[in-house]
Amino acid sequence: MTLADFINLALNGLVEGLLIALPALAVTLVHGLARFPNAATGDVVAAGGFGGYLSFNATGSLLLAGLGGALVGAIVSLASYYLAFKAVMRRSVITLLLTSIGVGFFIRAVMGLSFGHELKMFSLPLTRSLNFDGIMLNPTDATLAGIILAVLAAVFAMLYVAPVGRMMRALADDPDLGRVSGIRNDRVMLIMWSVTGAVCGIAGTVLGMRTVLSPEMGWAMLLPAFAAAVIGGLGNPVGAVAGALLLGVVQELSTPVVGFVYKIALAYVVMLLVLLVRPQGLFNRPQGVR
Amino acid sequence: MNRRKLITLGTAALIACQFGASALAEQGTFKVGSLNPITGAGSPYGSGMLKASQMAVAEVNAAGGAGGANFELLPEDSQTSPQAAVLAAKKLIEVQKVKAIIGTWSSGVSLAVIPITNDANVLLLHTSGAPALSVAPANAKKLGFRFQATNDRFGRAFAEIAKREKFKRPATMAFNNASGIGNTEGFRKSWTASGGTVVANVVYEPNRPSYRSELQEVLRGKPDVIVTGSYLADTTIILREWYQSGQPARWIIPGWAANSDLLKALGPDVTEGIISVESISAENSPSYKSFADRFAKQTKMAAQDNVYAAMTYDQVMVLALAVQAVGPTASADVLAKKVHEIGTPGGTIVNSFAEGKKLLAAGKRVTYNGASSALNFDEFNDVTPDFAASFVEKGKLVRKYVVKL
């Protein structure tokens, strides 16, 4: 193994981490405000992927594909909130978790019925990697990474600059205090579910461009997204993104030692170690201090 | 005899009569469970397989049935999922009392079903590749019959083709399951046995968004050809990333992954020169010709596009010939031995059920020359079909030659 090989592994890890970062962000946003782990996140990602695919085929534009994916993701996410989650919102976390698993199955089944189970691909031109002295950089990956970073920037701007972000963070910190301060919970929920849906939709479109589309594609990325959100501290947006990148890089850099079959297990070992040292996750403050 | 005794005896006689009657009715049909992948990953093949077996059953019944019994086919969908297949197999065995199950596709499904068929003394005739299905515990009772090449034989065919194409530095990449590793291990054994070396072996986990680190490892050995044991989804991603890496290499890929869907997905630039290896039906045998004609007419599908259809057709054929020889009520053990005998050389060659039935009735030993392959069951009840090497030329698969092991 040369240094260039290690750098390549780290770069692959960053790309994989970025692909997980958006769903992890969605998981953490839902958890912050609605207070349950949404197991349907992966399926919203897949639905968004199909939305992006359809709008790409109709228009041939990458930008419109991303917008189409975001739109479909937002619609599916809002529908799942209003049709399923809202009715059980005051129940226990277990009820909500089980509801979300059911919602996920439903979305997957609808996709299977409408699109079939054979694989679909974006017909994008393939590019050769640029070789910098053994370090390989792929222009397509760079573009996709750029899109993901732009989406992350937009979400963080909304959370930390726009007034609605302040309301969201206030509700996430202390729902009761937020409500008595006059924050309209309904409106914040509406915004939160559409934003997370849009984020998932773009994630699905990017993932579909990078790999292949199938109704089951979201399921495979759900666990890594959860793990990333947990490592960063559930409910903490910065933590989710950092957790995803950390998982991706550690996973790929471990391959010379543990091989390719066990790298996934190793990612969970990292998660366990982090939680042993900081049970609240890397970026959350301990509960008591708050 | 008092009245009470008379009533008891009478009732007993009545019950016995009814049992006798139902036993007689049972003798009239030979029930076969058909467990095909109608939905799920095997769905491109499943309905064709079912139609082929229905055709075969109709052929058997048109010839007056086997051993005095009509064949009855009970179809179930395996959903290409071991869980669903196990449920369906239990229903077929426990509720519908089938004597044999045919048509299981994919190693995961067959490996899950075979313990159940073994326990119930039911034959399992399948089209799966995993080497584990040959030996104990899966095939301890020798009630399992394989109509597809083992992954090991696929590997040997890969090695033959790599030799013929004068490759010197092969590497392998396999999906982490029994079938994927079976392919590349079969290749490695056969290749190293004839003195070659393999420059890299990588086994990877499925459903990854990227396989670039895996590719980096394989390409570091500077292979001139990469032999895979993969499925369509991961092959698509791997080939795209390989092309983007810019490093030259050729590919030998099993036909279930290197098919027209792959060509459509990746386009001619990436796929040029890929060698797709698929087991093929016995295309020159009379039974295949007769089967393929009827299959095309009845289903509007080409038999060549679905090698598993010919396999399921043959499954019914050997089963029917064996039932003709030993009778519909024979034990599983006796039936399995007869199936093995009919699928091995030594008897008079027959190409259809009617032909075989006549000879068997005359007390002759017959060997069924199948549509899917000459069968020639080995000691594990595995067949050895021929393999076709097809090369991708300008986005089309062109069959170049046939490899016989």
Side-chain angles (χ1 to χ4, degrees):
Chain A
M1 295 280 291
T2 61
L3 181 65
D5 286 336
F6 279 107
I7 295 176
N8 280 332
L9 285 178
L11 282 176
N12 299 346
L14 275 180
V15 172
E16 286 211 23
L18 278 174
L19 289 172
I20 297 298
L22 292 181
L25 183 64
V27 165
T28 230
L29 284 177
V30 171
H31 195 273
L33 283 159
R35 305 200 176 270
F36 73 96
N38 184 5
T41 305
D43 302 295
V44 179
V45 168
F50 277 102
Y53 174 77
L54 291 181
S55 35
F56 180 76
N57 281 356
T59 62
S61 144
L62 278 184
L63 187 70
L64 289 178
L67 287 178
L71 187 68
V72 170
I75 292 170
V76 172
S77 173
L78 280 175
S80 65
Y81 172 62
Y82 283 109
L83 300 178
F85 297 132
K86 198 160 191 250
V88 287
M89 216 57 194
R90 298 261 160 207
R91 304 285 180 83
S92 70
V93 177
I94 295 295
T95 311
L96 279 155
L97 175 65
L98 291 178
T99 309
S100 72
I101 292 174
V103 167
F105 273 118
F106 181 78
I107 298 175
R108 221 174 305 156
V110 170
M111 283 189 291
L113 277 176
S114 17
F115 301 105
H117 289 269
E118 60 271 25
L119 304 170
K120 306 228 169 7
M121 278 186 76
F122 283 84
S123 48
L124 290 170
L126 287 168
T127 48
R128 297 279 194 186
S129 292
L130 309 172
N131 191 336
F132 299 99
D133 210 13
I135 298 166
M136 311 292 277
L137 273 185
N138 188 307
T140 313
D141 276 359
T143 314
L144 296 182
I147 295 172
I148 294 172
L149 288 174
V151 172
L152 287 175
V155 174
F156 281 116
M158 184 207 75
L159 279 175
Y160 293 99
V161 181
V164 63
R166 199 182 311 122
M167 287 186 226
M168 278 169 126
R169 283 182 292 131
L171 275 185
D173 258 3
D174 192 328
D176 296 327
L177 188 58
R179 232 167 278 130
V180 294
S181 322
I183 298 176
R184 283 168 59 200
N185 192 37
D186 284 350
R187 200 172 139 241
V188 173
M189 279 293 182
L190 173 83
I191 292 170
M192 187 277 287
W193 282 102
S194 18
V195 167
T196 51
V199 165
C200 287
I202 293 171
T205 309
V206 171
L207 194 67
M209 289 176 179
R210 186 76 176 58
T211 60
V212 289
L213 274 176
S214 72
E216 290 81 19
M217 66 188 272
W219 183 245
M221 68 159 4
L222 183 64
L223 275 182
F226 268 138
V230 169
I231 287 184
L234 264 178
N236 187 314
V238 181
V241 175
L245 294 180
L246 180 73
L247 270 187
V249 173
V250 168
Q251 203 169 293
E252 294 308 303
L253 281 180
S254 71
T255 53
V257 187
V258 300
F260 298 102
V261 174
Y262 297 109
K263 68 176 180 184
I264 301 155
L266 193 96
Y268 292 92
V269 173
V270 171
M271 185 177 95
L272 286 178
L273 290 179
V274 167
L275 292 182
L276 277 176
V277 183
R278 286 182 65 90
Q280 71 276 23
L282 285 179
F283 286 81
N284 271 358
R285 285 163 298 165
Q287 292 288 329
V289 179
R290 231 192 242 162
Chain B
M1 196 188 279
N2 60 23
R3 198 185 300 166
R4 184 175 294 167
K5 216 172 188 177
L6 189 76
I7 291 173
T8 321
L9 271 177
T11 320
L14 244 161
I15 291 172
C17 256
Q18 253 168 4
F19 261 105
S22 72
L24 226 81
E26 290 281 300
Q27 214 176 11
T29 56
F30 185 87
K31 289 185 177 177
V32 179
S34 159
L35 190 48
N36 302 124
I38 305 294
T39 57
S43 60
Y45 306 113
S47 51
M49 293 165 81
L50 177 59
K51 282 182 182 139
S53 44
Q54 284 166 336
M55 238 174 72
V57 165
E59 186 184 332
V60 170
N61 291 341
N70 270 333
F71 263 48
E72 185 186 352
L73 199 69
L74 300 154
E76 285 286 339
D77 179 9
S78 77
Q79 301 173 27
T80 329
S81 136
Q83 290 83 359
V86 162
L87 282 177
K90 285 195 167 154
K91 181 181 161 205
L92 287 170
I93 292 168
E94 287 163 10
V95 182
Q96 295 170 319
K97 313 272 185 212
V98 299
K99 300 280 182 55
I101 291 181
I102 63 168
T104 55
W105 185 93
S106 110
S107 304
V109 165
S110 300
L111 280 166
V113 168
I114 203 165
I116 301 168
T117 51
N118 279 342
D119 279 352
N121 281 318
V122 164
L123 271 61
L124 181 70
L125 295 82
H126 62 87
T127 63
S128 315
L133 281 161
S134 301
V135 288
N139 208 14
K141 288 182 161 177
K142 298 269 170 77
L143 297 180
F145 289 83
R146 186 201 303 268
F147 286 69
Q148 161 72 310
T150 61
N151 292 119
D152 202 59
R153 284 180 173 83
F154 261 94
R156 273 158 56 197
F158 292 168
E160 286 301 313
I161 290 163
K163 250 178 257 168
R164 193 161 161 165
E165 297 298 319
K166 302 207 167 47
F167 290 121
K168 294 278 176 287
R169 300 174 56 80
T172 67
M173 278 185 98
F175 193 95
N176 187 21
N177 73 5
S179 155
I181 297 176
N183 277 346
T184 54
E185 274 301 287
F187 169 79
R188 197 184 56 77
K189 270 189 267 169
S190 169
W191 182 262
T192 49
S194 55
T197 50
V198 178
V199 297
N201 289 300
V202 164
V203 176
Y204 60 85
E205 277 294 310
N207 299 325
R208 306 291 309 159
S210 159
Y211 297 96
R212 201 179 302 163
S213 305
E214 288 82 346
L215 266 169
Q216 181 184 325
E217 174 75 23
V218 167
L219 292 172
R220 203 198 341 257
K222 304 250 180 299
D224 52 7
V225 65
I226 302 169
V227 176
T228 72
S230 316
Y231 292 118
L232 180 59
D234 39 317
T235 304
T236 312
I237 302 171
I238 288 173
L239 284 176
R240 189 153 59 169
E241 290 183 330
W242 159 74
Y243 181 79
Q244 291 176 333
S245 80
Q247 188 168 328
R250 296 280 300 278
W251 292 82
I252 296 179
I253 300 175
W256 58 79
N259 54 19
S260 53
D261 290 338
L262 184 83
L263 301 185
K264 207 166 57 191
L266 288 171
D269 284 352
V270 185
T271 51
E272 183 70 23
I274 286 176
I275 304 170
S276 168
V277 183
E278 181 61 296
S279 74
I280 51 170
S281 305
E283 288 169 357
N284 296 319
S285 77
S287 51
Y288 176 78
K289 281 180 184 142
S290 137
F291 162 73
D293 277 355
R294 282 177 289 153
F295 188 72
K297 242 177 244 149
Q298 292 184 15
T299 65
K300 311 266 175 278
M301 293 188 276
Q304 208 180 348
D305 295 342
N306 186 350
V307 286
Y308 305 102
M311 290 177 207
T312 12
Y313 175 80
D314 280 352
Q315 289 170 358
V316 176
M317 287 292 125
V318 280
L319 207 52
L321 288 169
V323 171
Q324 172 66 33
V326 299
T329 51
S331 74
D333 212 29
V334 172
L335 187 64
K337 286 212 173 76
K338 195 46 99 176
V339 168
H340 183 93
E341 184 195 297
I342 284 166
T344 33
T348 314
I349 303 271
V350 296
N351 289 301
S352 72
F353 175 72
E355 207 182 317
K357 183 177 176 177
K358 225 178 280 166
L359 288 173
L360 283 170
K364 295 248 172 58
R365 193 196 147 184
V366 303
T367 295
Y368 174 64
N369 184 24
S372 60
S373 70
L375 302 186
N376 296 353
F377 288 121
D378 67 5
E379 53 172 324
F380 305 111
N381 298 334
D382 290 341
V383 298
T384 308
D386 299 338
F387 292 87
S390 303
F391 289 58
V392 179
E393 289 178 351
K394 297 197 179 72
K396 292 238 157 38
L397 275 168
V398 181
R399 188 191 283 186
K400 283 291 168 71
Y401 47 85
V402 170
V403 177
K404 290 178 193 284
L405 292 181

